[in-house]
């Protein structure tokens, strides 16, 4: 039998979810907790729980904090966020905390059963509405917002790389920036060393790949 835990502070909702889950004989709800702290106390050995249905908004310790702790200390346990919150911020926070899936509380028993199987198979189940919002959130995140590698380049060095990426020669860069050709060469020697590259092409490609320019 697949062993399930439920963390939900509203008793009626928890009992309804338990009934839905146990309509499938493969599943058994082995523990129920009304907050994250209580849940952590009950799964200290973590040997008898396969999947947790986790509410977000709970007293004492909320679902996000509990999820982060379990994902770090008991990574074999899969967590499905089960909530009424379908906004992008909570979806993003849940994924960051380590949740395997994110569904809404009004799911049908058949979907809940499918989500459990999918989670145990290594999937990331989401309610269709949540999946669309997650996809929209990913698409709306510009590449430039991704974390940049810090090579310790100065503003001037980044400016020189930007010029170089446009196919401009050292001589033209010197004229554009009102500095000497020798100064440009020295700057690029430092840039290549910091970025651990050997020529202009490598420097420009690396800078573009890592969103430096």
């Amino acid at each position: 039998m697949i062993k399930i835990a439920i963390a939900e502070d509203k008793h009626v909702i928890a009992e309804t979810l338990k009934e839905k889950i146990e309509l499938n004989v493969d599943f058994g709800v082995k523990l129920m907790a009304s907050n994250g702290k209580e849940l952590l106390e009950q799964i200290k050995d973590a040997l008898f729980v396969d999947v947790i249905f986790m509410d977000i908004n709970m007293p004492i310790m909320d679902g996000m904090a509990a999820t982060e702790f379990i994902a770090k200390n008991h990574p074999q346990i899969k967590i499905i966020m089960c909530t009424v919150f379908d906004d992008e911020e909570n979806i993003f926070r849940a994924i960051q905390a380590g949740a395997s899936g994110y569904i809404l509380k009004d799911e049908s028993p058949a979907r809940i059963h499918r989500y459990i199987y999918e989670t145990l198979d290594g999937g990331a189940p989401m309610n269709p509405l949540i999946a669309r919002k997650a996809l929209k959130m990913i698409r709306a995140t510009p590449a430039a917002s991704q974390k940049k590698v810090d090579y310790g380049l100065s503003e001037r060095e980044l400016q020189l790389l930007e010029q170089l990426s446009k196919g401009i020669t050292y001589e033209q860069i010197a004229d554009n920036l009102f500095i000497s050709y020798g100064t440009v060469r020295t700057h690029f020697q430092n840039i290549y060393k910091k970025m651990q590259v050997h020529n202009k092409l490598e420097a420009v490609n690396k800078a573009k790949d890592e969103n430096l320019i």
Side-chain angles (χ1 to χ4, degrees), residues 1-7 14-15 17-19 21-22 24-33 38-39 41-43 45-53 77 116:
M1 177 177 286
I2 295 168
K3 298 168 283 295
I4 309 295
I6 296 173
E15 287 294 332
L17 179 57
K18 179 177 184 291
E19 290 174 6
I21 291 170
E22 293 187 334
N24 187 316
V25 295
D26 287 348
F27 309 135
V29 176
K30 298 302 181 183
L31 70 86
M32 299 174 72
E38 183 182 336
L39 174 69
E41 289 171 352
Q42 292 189 57
I43 62 165
D45 56 17
L47 298 176
F48 62 98
V49 174
D50 299 303
V51 178
I52 298 172
F53 281 83
I77 300 177
I116 295 172

Side-chain angles (χ1 to χ4, degrees), residues 8 13 26 85 95 127 130 149:
E8 167 62 63
I13 294 176
D26 287 348
F85 300 108
I95 293 170
N127 165 286
I130 299 299
V149 178

Side-chain angles (χ1 to χ4, degrees), residues 104-178:
L104 299 179
K105 289 184 177 180
D106 59 356
E107 300 284 359
S108 69
R111 276 191 172 176
I112 288 173
H113 301 159
R114 187 172 76 246
Y115 292 149
I116 295 172
Y117 287 128
E118 188 177 336
T119 301
L120 292 172
D121 285 339
M126 287 187 180
N127 165 286
L129 173 63
I130 299 299
R132 286 195 294 272
K133 289 197 172 189
L135 184 60
K136 180 181 177 183
M137 180 175 61
I138 292 168
R139 286 173 173 168
T141 303
S145 69
Q146 297 173 5
K147 187 176 180 180
K148 298 178 180 179
V149 178
D150 184 8
Y151 292 109
L153 298 174
S154 66
E155 288 297 322
R156 172 63 90 181
E157 288 168 341
L158 289 171
Q159 188 179 23
L160 287 163
L161 271 174
E162 183 73 41
Q163 293 267 317
L164 190 66
S165 70
K166 297 174 181 176
I168 301 173
T169 65
Y170 282 4
E171 290 87 351
Q172 290 172 314
I173 293 173
D175 289 342
N176 291 342
L177 300 180
F178 304 103

